[in-house]
Amino acid sequence: MSAPYLQVPTSARTFAQRFSATRRGARLARLLAARQLIEWGLPPPGTRLCEAVTLTVAELCANAVLRGRVPGA
């Protein structure tokens, strides 16, 4: 007989912000994500994981700015 599976409860942390569809908007999104991670304490600033998360946010935002526009809109 195996031990029962214990699930650790987690709390969802969310925030929302709109940015302009420009390179500046992508930069601001990266900076805000880094600041929000610091406020949440996840992951600790200066760690490789923190750098990876902020880089991922920057890439996603830059891609949205460069490729996410609808012609004529």
Side-chain angles (χ1 to χ4, degrees):
M1 188 175 248
S2 64
Y5 176 74
L6 298 176
Q7 185 174 0
V8 179
T10 60
S11 61
R13 295 181 173 121
T14 61
F15 72 97
Q17 178 70 44
R18 289 183 181 235
F19 297 97
S20 61
T22 63
R23 291 175 193 250
R24 182 173 185 267
R27 178 179 172 271
L28 292 174
R30 178 184 57 82
L31 294 172
L32 178 63
R35 180 178 174 165
Q36 194 64 49
L37 287 171
I38 289 168
E39 287 183 20
W40 288 339
L42 301 170
T47 62
R48 294 177 81 186
L49 182 56
C50 184
E51 295 298 318
V53 170
T54 55
L55 179 61
T56 301
V57 169
E59 286 294 319
L60 291 171
C61 293
N63 288 344
V65 167
L66 295 174
R67 296 175 183 86
R69 294 185 179 177
V70 177

